[in-house]
Amino acid sequence: SQTIHQWPATLVQPVGSPLSLECTVEGTSNPNLYWYRQAAGRGLQLLFYSVGIGQISSEVPQNLSASRPQDRQFILSSKKLLLSDSGFYLCAWSHFGTTRAYEQYFGPGTRLTVT
Amino acid sequence: GQSLEQPSEVTAVEGAIVQINCTYQTSGFYGLSWYQQHDGGAPTFLSYNALDGLEETGRFSSFLSRSDSYGYLLLQELQMKDSASYFCAVRRQAGTALIFGKGTTLSVSS
């Protein structure tokens, strides 16, 4: 069966510090991978998605970046965090291709507080 | 562009039936999905409609009318554990990414 891991679960970082969140998927090959951010009590904002190694589509042209160094690894980074980066970060995957893209599987999330 | 509209809050009592509506505007349509998210948790996939009509999965059903750009999630025999946020989502015209609505918070009381 497939499993998605995200860490850390919670993170408190000062403004201006770097960020690295990691997500890995097990039990499937060539997944589509996604990073979302959810502000408190709000909807899901798509940040990045990837259909393959090294292929990143960005939805948010701010101080965040994403990388996919391996097939089942997705990393979200920032060089300098802003207060507005606080939120609940969710990684998700869907099966390769578009046929089942409607069904995404989410990791447990990272709750980031920038102070 | 693409957008989805759903009510922000719905309240109901245990045992009741509740309907959460979703209207969408898309430049291309590839089906409507529904997700559930409990407070502090991750979203989980509930159902998907690609064609018009009703899809039933236990106590939950989802309906789609493509001509009306409208769908709904129907929850029957409500239980306290159904208290959660519910999101509708459509696939983007290009690629695999989903666009989510802002979510409907369902509160079930006894």
Side-chain angles (χ1 to χ4, degrees):
Chain A
S1 63
Q2 301 93 353
T3 310
I4 179 168
H5 302 279
Q6 251 187 279
W7 64 92
T10 60
L11 191 60
V12 180
Q13 293 283 96
V15 169
S17 64
L19 173 74
S20 181
L21 302 181
E22 189 163 345
C23 170
T24 60
V25 180
E26 297 177 355
T28 188
S29 297
N30 306 314
N32 302 314
L33 296 172
Y34 314 86
W35 278 113
Y36 292 90
R37 177 171 60 200
Q38 187 175 36
R42 304 290 297 276
L44 296 160
Q45 179 189 22
L46 178 67
L47 300 176
F48 301 95
Y49 70 94
S50 171
V51 298
I53 296 174
Q55 300 179 61
I56 310 293
S57 295
S58 172
E59 300 294 313
V60 182
Q62 294 176 356
N63 65 319
L64 298 173
S65 62
S67 62
R68 183 171 178 172
Q70 300 181 46
D71 181 45
R72 288 168 288 180
Q73 183 185 29
F74 207 20
I75 298 171
L76 182 69
S77 304
S78 174
K79 292 183 179 178
K80 289 186 178 181
L81 284 168
L82 307 173
L83 285 175
S84 57
D85 291 324
S86 293
F88 190 40
Y89 287 81
L90 290 154
C91 180
W93 73 273
S94 65
H95 289 282
F96 172 76
T98 58
T99 305
R100 293 184 61 183
Y102 60 82
E103 185 173 354
Q104 294 187 6
Y105 303 89
F106 287 80
T110 295
R111 198 163 300 280
L112 172 66
T113 303
V114 182
T115 60
Chain B
Q2 294 167 297
S3 65
L4 300 100
E5 294 289 333
Q6 50 181 132
S8 58
E9 293 183 10
V10 174
T11 59
V13 296
E14 277 188 299
I17 299 173
V18 71
Q19 179 175 311
I20 299 174
N21 299 320
C22 175
T23 57
Y24 58 86
Q25 281 188 316
T26 63
S27 49
F29 183 70
Y30 302 90
L32 186 70
S33 303
W34 288 92
Y35 287 77
Q36 177 192 59
Q37 184 181 28
H38 285 100
D39 193 31
T44 56
F45 172 77
L46 287 178
S47 67
Y48 170 71
N49 295 72
L51 303 174
D52 292 350
L54 192 68
E55 294 283 341
E56 298 182 62
T57 308
R59 294 187 298 114
F60 293 3
S61 303
S62 57
F63 172 82
L64 176 66
S65 170
R66 288 175 295 171
S67 60
D68 296 321
S69 297
Y70 163 76
Y72 65 73
L73 181 68
L74 190 73
L75 298 85
Q76 303 181 73
E77 301 173 16
L78 280 174
Q79 302 175 10
M80 297 292 286
K81 66 178 182 180
D82 297 328
S83 293
S85 292
Y86 293 84
F87 298 88
C88 57
V90 294
R91 184 157 69 86
R92 289 187 31 151
Q93 182 178 20
T96 66
L98 293 179
I99 301 300
F100 285 82
K102 294 184 178 179
T104 299
T105 300
L106 170 64
S107 299
V108 180
S109 59
S110 57

